[in-house]
């Protein structure tokens, strides 16, 4: 089960076991996995607006709390993790987003570590779709 719920910020204790009996799996894991997969599908369709964007998005409702992700492998994963957090809170967009990377060196090996912040929001999808 390791890695199954990788995008959750906090994995519930009942979902961290290595093996389950059938009744426990069907009552605990299956509903959580179905909800997780639905949220992941929503996250793939979340609108994303960077701070550098010139156009102001048509925001209907915006959260006051920032969402943050850190230690991601690449830019796309960072954006998807921010989108997953927004979708899990019931929003369809991330506004005022900033995604950055830092180069980390370990002797002769170098890699980039990505992080991002933004505000979950609900935007008028019809207006955004007409932009293009």
């Amino acid at each position: 089960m390791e890695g199954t719920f990788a995008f959750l910020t906090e994995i519930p204790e009942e979902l961290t076991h290595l093996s389950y009996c059938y009744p426990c799996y069907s009552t605990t894991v299956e509903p959580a996995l179905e909800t997780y997969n639905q949220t992941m599908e929503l996250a793939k369709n979340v609108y994303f607006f960077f701070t550098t964007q010139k156009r102001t998005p048509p925001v209907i409702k915006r959260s006051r709390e920032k969402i943050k992700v850190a230690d991601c492998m690449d830019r796309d994963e960072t954006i998807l993790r921010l989108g997953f957090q927004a979708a899990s809170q019931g929003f369809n967009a991330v506004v005022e987003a900033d995604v950055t990377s830092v180069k980390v060196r370990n002797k002769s090996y170098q890699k980039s570590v990505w992080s991002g912040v933004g505000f979950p929001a609900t935007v008028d999808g019809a207006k955004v779709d007409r932009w293009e």
Side-chain angles (χ1 to χ4, degrees), residues 6-9 67-82 85 98-105 111-117:
F7 280 51
L8 289 178
T9 52
I67 53 175
K68 301 175 186 178
V69 295
D71 299 329
C72 297
M73 296 287 288
D74 60 10
R75 182 177 186 268
D76 293 336
E77 179 189 351
T78 307
I79 291 172
L80 186 59
R81 284 185 181 274
L82 286 170
Q85 286 188 25
D98 188 28
V99 176
T100 57
S101 69
V102 175
K103 290 185 179 181
V104 177
R105 292 182 184 226
K111 68 176 185 174
S112 294
V113 177
W114 291 83
S115 62
V117 296

Side-chain angles (χ1 to χ4, degrees), residues 12-116:
E13 196 272 325
E14 64 265 8
L15 298 176
T16 59
H17 303 297
L18 296 176
S19 60
Y20 295 88
C21 63
Y22 181 74
C24 294
Y25 184 83
S26 63
T27 59
T28 305
V29 179
E30 279 183 349
L33 190 59
E34 187 176 324
T35 303
Y36 179 82
N37 289 334
Q38 289 173 350
T39 306
M40 183 59 75
E41 287 303 313
L42 291 173
K44 292 177 182 176
N45 296 318
V46 163
Y47 296 102
F48 209 83
F49 300 98
F50 291 97
T51 55
T52 57
Q53 197 159 344
K54 293 181 181 179
R55 256 187 148 160
T56 305
V59 175
I60 297 170
K61 181 174 117 180
R62 183 181 149 226
S63 173
R64 293 181 183 193
E65 300 291 322
K66 266 188 183 179
I67 53 175
K68 301 175 186 178
V69 295
D71 299 329
C72 297
M73 296 287 288
D74 60 10
R75 182 177 186 268
D76 293 336
E77 179 189 351
T78 307
I79 291 172
L80 186 59
R81 284 185 181 274
L82 286 170
F84 185 87
Q85 286 188 25
S88 65
Q89 294 178 18
F91 295 100
N92 71 346
V94 177
V95 296
E96 298 178 31
D98 188 28
V99 176
T100 57
S101 69
V102 175
K103 290 185 179 181
V104 177
R105 292 182 184 226
N106 183 3
K107 297 183 182 176
S108 64
Y109 180 72
Q110 175 179 318
K111 68 176 185 174
S112 294
V113 177
W114 291 83
S115 62

